[in-house]
Amino acid sequence: TRWLERYDLGEAARALYDFIWTELCDWYVEMIKPHLYGRSGTAAKQASQYVLWQVLEGTLRLLHPFMPFITEEVWQHLPHEGETIMLSSWPEVDKRYVDTEVETKMAAVMDMVRAIRNVRSEKKVAPGREISVIIHGGEESLDLLQEAKGYLQVLARVGDLKIEPLDEVKPEKAVTAVAGGVEMYLPLAGLVDIDQEVQRLQKELEATGQEIRRAKGKLANQGFVNKAPAEIVEKERNKLVNLEDKEKMLQDRLRELIG
């Protein structure tokens, strides 16, 4: 609505496109498939159908100025009030549906799913194949993980999913991913070649070492420290801290793999 009031039709269309393609189709529809198939009971199926209808119907009204004929056709096949979408009211924000806590939780779950998908892609795991994942997290994260366990399994094609406290012994011979405030371990047995994983980690460790030396050299240069803007220097220092943390994690994983 804000973009349209400014006559910025391109940004209005982009906002709609991003929402429909990403949040609605790529995430929500994929998440609720087990509900729609009735695997979670009648109540869950009906709740998901209702939310999906409400969001789709409202989105069609937002999209109507851009795609009038297609939106009219689809709208006519949905439960609706009135004769035509052209005469339906413009959607308004309902603040009852705004929940920043849920948004934060969902963002963490999405980060976890992306991290697991990235490992799957990197290791060339077949899309239809289920994998095992062990997740270590703090108390807050454990509650969220229990709540989102089913979604993680569906969205990341995870079969056996173990959720454990942070102080549990870290599994040996596993690919590590950190996202959403938790540590995720994907056991390598049957997933990747151990020797290849060691070589990959060694290569990444070498590249990280080079970046650390470069950053240290930059910060040791008084000309840079004294003349560069303070925010640039601080950014370089933060970069060095992150690189050193990454180096330590890589070294730990290598020790675990080599034994």
Side-chain angles (χ1 to χ4, degrees), residues 38-74:
R39 297 174 192 164
S40 305
T42 304
K45 179 179 180 178
Q46 291 176 343
S48 294
Q49 286 176 323
Y50 177 78
V51 173
L52 187 57
W53 161 74
Q54 188 176 57
V55 173
L56 181 57
E57 195 275 338
T59 304
L60 286 172
R61 284 186 278 149
L62 293 173
L63 194 59
H64 184 66
F66 300 92
M67 304 169 67
F69 302 105
I70 293 174
T71 49
E72 180 73 66
E73 180 69 17
V74 176

Side-chain angles (χ1 to χ4, degrees), residues 202-251:
Q202 287 174 333
K203 192 173 180 181
E204 192 172 351
L205 185 61
E206 185 180 341
T208 303
Q210 289 176 354
E211 287 187 65
I212 287 173
R213 288 190 290 275
R214 195 177 300 116
K216 282 183 174 178
K218 211 169 184 180
L219 290 169
N221 182 340
Q222 291 304 309
F224 168 74
V225 174
N226 294 330
K227 294 178 182 178
E231 62 270 19
I232 300 295
V233 177
E234 186 61 26
K235 185 178 177 181
E236 197 66 27
R237 287 186 178 129
N238 290 334
K239 178 183 173 184
L240 178 58
V241 170
N242 291 333
L243 284 168
E244 288 175 337
D245 287 344
K246 181 180 178 181
E247 182 182 51
K248 185 179 182 304
M249 190 187 82
L250 290 169
Q251 289 169 339

Side-chain angles (χ1 to χ4, degrees), residues 70-201:
I70 293 174
T71 49
E72 180 73 66
E73 180 69 17
V74 176
W75 190 80
Q76 291 293 343
H77 284 79
L78 293 175
H80 61 267
E81 292 181 1
E83 183 182 347
T84 170
I85 193 173
M86 288 187 291
L87 301 178
S88 61
S89 61
W90 186 253
E92 293 182 4
V93 174
D94 188 337
K95 292 185 178 178
R96 293 176 301 169
Y97 297 145
V98 178
D99 191 326
T100 53
E101 184 180 348
V102 169
E103 290 279 349
T104 302
K105 287 181 177 180
M106 190 59 214
V109 172
M110 291 164 74
D111 284 345
M112 295 175 206
V113 171
R114 288 190 191 99
I116 296 172
R117 285 177 175 175
N118 287 342
V119 173
R120 291 181 63 108
S121 175
E122 185 183 324
K123 302 304 175 190
K124 294 180 173 59
V125 179
R129 179 182 169 187
E130 290 188 341
I131 59 173
S132 298
V133 177
I134 301 163
I135 303 181
H136 290 178
E139 193 173 331
E140 262 186 50
S141 297
L142 292 178
D143 291 339
L144 172 60
L145 287 165
Q146 290 296 344
E147 191 180 345
K149 185 176 180 179
Y151 296 135
L152 285 170
Q153 290 178 301
V154 169
L155 295 170
R157 295 293 297 169
V158 175
D160 182 26
L161 176 60
K162 291 182 181 177
I163 300 169
E164 301 173 341
L166 271 176
D167 55 5
E168 278 290 321
V169 178
K170 291 177 172 54
E172 296 181 357
K173 298 185 177 179
V175 177
T176 306
V178 180
V182 301
E183 297 173 0
M184 294 177 285
Y185 302 93
L186 285 67
L188 289 169
L191 186 66
V192 296
D193 183 293
I194 301 292
D195 292 335
Q196 284 184 359
E197 180 63 10
V198 168
Q199 289 175 13
R200 184 189 73 81
L201 288 171

